[in-house]
Amino acid sequence: MLQKLEPQKLRSLSLEEIKSYKNKAEERKASLETAKAKGGKAWTDNLQEELNEIALFIVDIDDVIEEKEKSPAPKASANYIVKPGTEKMVHLSIVRGRRFNPLTGEEESPAYTQIFTFAEWQLFKKAYKGLGYTIMSVLHDPYNDASELVQK
């Protein structure tokens, strides 16, 4: 039986992971449809329910894939040059703490570039607000999930 993820959990995965998960779901759906076509005593109400759930799950996966593919491209990526060896890492322009002094309007904390491996990125995107970071722009994102976290 295929483990079904909530749409929110799907959105946190990279586009490649979502597509591989969709392939697994479609394989399970095909095997269930084959078993249904054979019929007989092997086909139960539980299997029919699982087939229905997988069909709905595939629709959810398609919606998440469509959202990820339509997400706007990072603004600064055109001018940013990715160094060799860091192509699979997420490159962000971030600020820690408040960026501007509310009394004078002067910049206190300038934005800087931070590079994350996939595992570091997964941890950072869960906790960056609580740690006092603000994502100013996405410089390079091979997983297409950082642009939705940029401060507007």
Side-chain angles (χ1 to χ4, degrees):
M1 182 171 203
L2 180 71
Q3 179 188 3
K4 291 161 210 64
L5 301 175
E6 295 295 321
Q8 182 179 3
K9 177 69 175 166
L10 282 172
R11 286 183 188 93
S12 70
L13 299 174
S14 70
L15 191 58
E16 294 81 22
E17 290 173 320
I18 296 170
K19 287 182 178 179
S20 72
Y21 210 82
K22 180 183 177 185
N23 290 338
K24 290 176 187 174
E26 288 176 339
E27 287 172 8
R28 179 64 181 154
K29 181 182 174 191
S31 69
L32 287 172
E33 288 173 341
T34 303
K36 183 178 181 179
K38 290 179 183 176
K41 294 181 181 180
W43 187 253
T44 63
D45 290 338
N46 289 340
L47 290 176
Q48 180 62 46
E49 186 177 321
E50 182 181 354
L51 179 62
N52 294 342
E53 288 177 7
I54 288 178
L56 293 173
F57 182 59
I58 289 173
V59 171
D60 289 342
I61 292 174
D62 288 335
D63 291 343
V64 172
I65 289 173
E66 186 177 321
E67 284 176 21
K68 290 242 182 209
E69 288 176 343
K70 284 186 176 180
S71 66
K75 297 174 188 172
S77 64
N79 299 334
Y80 186 74
I81 298 171
V82 179
K83 294 180 182 170
T86 63
E87 295 88 0
K88 292 186 178 184
M89 296 181 179
V90 178
H91 302 231
L92 302 175
S93 176
I94 62 175
V95 173
R96 179 149 191 212
R98 64 181 189 196
R99 184 164 183 198
F100 296 100
N101 184 326
L103 300 175
T104 63
E106 293 179 19
E107 188 174 39
E108 286 184 344
S109 304
Y112 61 93
T113 301
Q114 182 71 43
I115 301 173
F116 299 96
T117 65
F118 180 74
E120 292 169 342
W121 167 240
Q122 296 303 312
L123 290 172
F124 181 78
K125 75 179 179 180
K126 290 179 184 175
Y128 74 97
K129 286 184 180 178
L131 295 171
Y133 287 96
T134 305
I135 299 173
M136 302 309 296
S137 66
V138 179
L139 304 174
H140 176 70
D141 181 15
Y143 309 108
N144 295 325
D145 61 349
S147 59
E148 60 198 35
L149 303 176
V150 174
Q151 180 185 20
K152 308 274 187 270

